[in-house]
Every structure is written in C-alpha cells, then in structure tokens.
Amino acid sequence: MRTDELIHLLATDDRPVKNTAIEQRFAVATLAGIAGAGVLMLALFGLRTDLLATMALPMFWGKLVFAAALAAAGLTLLRRMARPGMQVGRAALLLAVPPLVLWAIALVALSQVPSVERMPLILGSTWRTCPFNIALLSVPAFVAGFWALKGAAPTRLAWAGAGAGLLAGALGALVYALHCPEMATPFLAVWYLAGMAIPTALGAVLGPRFLRW
C-alpha cells in the first residue's frame, strides 16, 4: 500500500472522539469490577451473617470508606496515566492519603493496648487468607481495568498496569468488607493493603506486555 492510499484510508474513518470517552470506559470498568466481585464474593464466601448488626458499628463504615477512598484516588491517577503526556500531579498525593490515615489510626490503636495484645490485633483470625481473598475478588476489576486502558493511550505501561491493579484491589477490598469479620484497624492497615498490593504488583508486570499500542 502506498503512503497516499494509507493516508486516505485513515482519513475516511476520521471521527471525533468524545472528551469523556476515557472516563466512560473507566466508569464501565469500575461498575463491572464491583458487580463481578460481588458475584464472586456471594458465590465463594457469602455475606456476614451478622451484617445488619455490624452496619451499626463505625468501623464497618470505616472499612468501606477506606477502600472507596483508595479506589477513587487510584481512579483519578489512572485517568491521567491513560492519556499520553499528562503529568501525574497531585493525584499521587491523593493516593497516599488513605493509607497514611489508616496507619496513623492503627498506630494510635496499638499504643492504647498492652504489648501482649498488639499482635492479635494485627493478625486477627483471618490474616492467612484475607490478602488472597481480596486479590481473588479483584480479578473482574483487573480485567475490566486493562480493557479500559486498551482503549486509551498510556505511555508509562508498567505504571498504568499498576494503577489498574490498585484500582482493582481497592474495589475487591470494598466488596470483601461485606464478608470480612475483622474490624481492628491494625489488621486492615496490614492485610487489606497486602491484598491490594498483589494485583498492583501483577499489573505492573503485565502492563508492558498487554498495554502496548
């Protein structure tokens, strides 16, 4: 094919792209990720049997707020990574706020109990399975996030993949909170973040491979 023919072929399909096209793709990916995680959670784990009573506790809502805040910050950062040449800016600072707040609260909680009670607060009763359960529930959002990025134009592929993994992990943690029996802040500060770190690391590895133009 000659150059002028190629230019003509490309020009015939020259349609304007909506300014919100990327946001729409991420909205679809987020909703699909939450729905998929919800189906997996109900099929594999089920809701807490005392969910209604637990909803009266502030810490239950604290778990949801933490995961939702991290998901929102991750989504803000990911939207910028999806566009070539855009600076990360203050989005990275927003991403650091939820973990820092959670760690600060956890340290305060640990300082207020005797030393022999600190490790049980950190380990809880599900530390062996919690991170992997969150990572498992993040799979639908992980796939949907990569789908959304494939329709964009990321240039920092490892970082974009990590961002998609972090968003997926936060959404997985958000849904997992409806099953998780743990309520201690030190537990959340360690094992919830560990669960989110798994898809984040996987996204960083897979991003350069699957997000190439």
Side-chain angles (χ1 to χ4, degrees):
M1 180 180 295
R2 293 182 300 178
T3 303
D4 55 346
E5 293 177 345
L6 176 59
I7 294 173
H8 177 73
L9 181 62
L10 293 174
T12 56
D13 195 32
D14 183 20
R15 293 173 295 177
V17 178
K18 294 181 179 179
N19 293 333
T20 60
I22 292 178
E23 285 74 12
Q24 290 176 358
R25 289 182 71 88
F26 281 126
V28 171
T30 299
L31 293 176
I34 293 175
V39 171
L40 279 179
M41 187 270 294
L42 292 174
L44 299 177
F45 310 126
L47 293 172
R48 286 184 60 145
T49 56
D50 60 345
L51 181 60
L52 291 178
T54 305
M55 290 175 66
L57 301 175
M59 194 57 225
F60 171 77
W61 296 104
K63 289 197 296 184
L64 296 182
V65 169
F66 165 69
L70 200 53
L75 186 58
T76 300
L77 183 64
L78 196 57
R79 285 175 55 246
R80 302 183 73 85
M81 288 184 175
R83 291 181 168 92
M86 285 199 71
Q87 298 297 321
V88 173
R90 296 180 180 178
L93 296 178
L94 292 176
L95 194 63
V97 171
L100 290 176
V101 171
L102 184 64
W103 287 334
I105 297 174
L107 288 175
V108 172
L110 290 174
S111 68
Q112 293 177 342
V113 299
S115 58
V116 295
E117 297 180 15
R118 291 171 184 168
M119 192 55 66
L121 283 178
I122 295 174
L123 297 180
S125 60
T126 62
W127 66 275
R128 292 182 179 86
T129 58
C130 174
F132 303 105
N133 291 343
I134 290 175
L136 178 61
L137 295 185
S138 74
V139 170
F142 188 91
V143 175
F146 266 65
W147 165 82
L149 283 172
K150 285 291 289 184
T155 54
R156 292 165 289 184
L157 303 185
W159 285 103
L166 176 60
L167 174 62
L171 295 178
L174 180 65
V175 174
Y176 183 67
L178 301 177
H179 163 80
C180 178
E182 307 289 351
M183 302 295 285
T185 308
F187 179 93
L188 305 178
V190 176
W191 305 111
Y192 266 49
L193 287 173
M196 298 180 198
I198 296 174
T200 302
L202 184 61
V205 173
L206 296 181
R209 178 175 180 182
F210 290 102
L211 297 177
R212 292 177 181 173
W213 297 7

